[in-house]
């Protein structure tokens, strides 16, 4: 499978959601493709980015909800 | 310890303490979700309050046919979507980023981290986080919701599919496209 075709599978693989067959294909591809290994790391990092966006609970939030 | 579903059933029977316990368990996640989806602190606060009000109003007819959190996020997503639609109707558009990735799928963006072997432990400085937050807000809502629910709130693809009312394949594609768009946007921001 070529790089363009496997990118969506790499995304699912990073999320632990690739099927066993799909995961095996991704591992096989990554073993021989430096570009896709870089992409895999970028996909993991950007996934972690969501957790950096936290916001904060407003001070009187509980009081407002239970008012 | 009672499960969320048991607490919701107790609340349905009139127990305020049960609802307070549900609130204690989940209010941070609800506020975070609303913040990630709206990108605006006052909108997030308003949406989060509305989410809990909707949960409370739904109590009389609540049936534990799915995990409480799956149902909660369904309510949360509909609430934030309504907010975003109302914002669009007021003239503020939610811009759509162009699709497509870097050449050969590699993006010219350095996401710094102390350890290349563990890119999930990236050190995110404030400026990059702010750029990421902006880029997240520019995703199409359906892509953003899928990505936030899975990567931010830890829902499986199957659970995200239930929340969004789409197939698991659709969730997989949306999350992939969200990643492509974010990497593309961050590449623009960070290129010289």
């Amino acid at each position: 499978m070529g790089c363009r075709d496997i990118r969506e599978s790499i995304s699912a693989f990073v999320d632990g959601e690739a099927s066993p067959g799909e995961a095996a294909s991704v591992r096989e591809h990554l073993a021989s493709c430096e570009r896709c290994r870089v992409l895999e790391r970028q996909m993991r990092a950007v996934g972690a980015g969501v957790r950096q966006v936290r916001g904060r609970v407003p001070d009187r939030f509980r009081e407002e909800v239970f008012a | 310890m009672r499960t969320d579903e048991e607490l919701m059933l107790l609340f349905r029977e009139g127990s305020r303490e049960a609802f307070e316990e549900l609130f204690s368990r989940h209010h941070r996640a609800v506020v975070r979700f609303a913040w990630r989806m709206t990108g605006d602190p006052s909108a997030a606060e308003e949406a989060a309050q509305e989410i809990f009000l909707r949960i409370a109003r739904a109590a009389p007819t609540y049936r534990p046919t799915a995990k409480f959190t799956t149902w909660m996020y369904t309510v949360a997503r509909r609430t934030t979507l309504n907010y975003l639609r109302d914002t669009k109707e007021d003239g503020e558009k939610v811009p759509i980023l162009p699709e497509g990735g870097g050449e050969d799928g590699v993006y010219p963006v350095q996401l710094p981290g102390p350890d290349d072997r563990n890119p999930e432990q990236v050190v995110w400085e404030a400026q990059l986080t702010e750029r990421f937050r902006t880029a997240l807000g520019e995703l199409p809502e359906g892509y953003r919701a899928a990505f936030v629910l899975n990567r931010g709130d830890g829902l499986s693809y199957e659970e995200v599919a239930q929340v969004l009312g789409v197939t698991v394949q659709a969730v997989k594609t949306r999350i992939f496209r969200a990643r492509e768009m974010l990497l593309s946007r961050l590449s623009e921001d960070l290129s010289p």
Side-chain angles (χ1 to χ4, degrees):
Chain A
M1 194 180 280
C3 295
R4 183 165 281 278
D5 296 324
I6 206 161
R7 294 197 316 232
E8 185 171 308
S9 294
I10 293 175
S11 176
F13 176 79
V14 161
D15 294 337
E17 295 274 359
S19 66
E22 195 176 19
S25 295
V26 168
R27 285 193 197 96
E28 187 183 336
H29 183 86
L30 292 179
S32 60
C33 183
E34 171 61 20
R35 284 184 193 276
C36 283
R37 286 199 294 273
V38 171
L39 179 64
E40 190 231 358
R41 287 197 293 273
Q42 289 177 326
M43 285 188 173
R44 286 190 188 278
V46 84
V50 176
R51 293 189 287 280
Q52 302 298 317
V53 180
R54 293 188 194 98
R56 62 175 275 282
V57 178
D59 292 334
R60 291 184 48 80
F61 184 67
R62 189 185 183 287
E63 286 77 8
E64 294 293 329
V65 168
F66 286 93
Chain B
M1 193 172 79
R2 295 191 194 277
T3 65
D4 290 339
E5 294 75 21
E6 286 169 342
L7 287 172
M8 195 61 193
L9 290 171
L10 284 170
F11 176 55
R12 192 185 67 181
E13 301 308 315
S15 169
R16 181 188 163 100
E17 290 76 20
F19 188 71
E20 289 185 0
E21 175 63 23
L22 281 169
F23 177 86
S24 290
R25 291 182 186 181
H26 299 294
H27 73 282
R28 285 179 199 84
V30 167
V31 170
R32 262 198 318 263
F33 177 80
W35 169 243
R36 286 167 179 162
M37 291 303 296
T38 65
D40 175 80
S42 59
E45 180 179 354
E46 205 175 301
Q49 283 180 21
E50 179 66 21
I51 290 161
F52 278 105
L53 285 173
R54 287 182 178 207
I55 289 171
R57 276 190 227 123
T61 56
Y62 174 76
R63 297 286 181 273
T65 52
K67 272 174 67 174
F68 171 80
T69 48
T70 305
W71 177 71
M72 180 186 81
Y73 280 114
T74 304
V75 173
R77 189 270 175 137
R78 287 178 185 162
T79 305
T80 55
L81 179 58
N82 284 344
Y83 165 79
L84 291 168
R85 284 177 174 159
D86 288 346
T87 303
K88 280 176 73 174
E89 283 164 5
D90 287 345
E92 292 181 40
K93 303 295 181 188
V94 177
I96 309 271
L97 288 174
E99 289 193 35
E103 219 168 280
D104 297 321
V106 173
Y107 297 84
V109 58
Q110 284 279 26
L111 294 172
D115 182 358
D116 268 350
R117 285 168 297 175
N118 195 349
E120 289 180 350
Q121 288 183 6
V122 167
V123 174
W124 286 73
E125 33 173 61
Q127 206 175 28
L128 178 58
T129 299
E130 183 55 25
R131 286 177 174 143
F132 183 92
R133 190 189 67 75
T134 302
L136 187 66
E138 292 172 348
L139 293 176
E141 191 275 343
Y143 293 7
R144 188 183 334 138
F147 195 58
V148 165
L149 286 166
N150 176 252
R151 291 291 92 200
D153 295 286
L155 274 66
S156 68
Y157 280 17
E158 175 65 44
E159 288 169 330
V160 174
Q162 287 177 41
V163 170
L164 302 184
V166 299
T167 63
V168 170
Q169 178 57 49
V171 169
K172 182 182 177 185
T173 299
R174 289 182 184 196
I175 289 175
F176 166 59
R177 292 200 177 138
R179 280 191 159 104
E180 286 211 305
M181 290 185 177
L182 288 167
L183 285 168
S184 178
R185 185 70 171 91
L186 291 171
S187 297
E188 287 173 28
D189 273 346
L190 297 174
S191 57

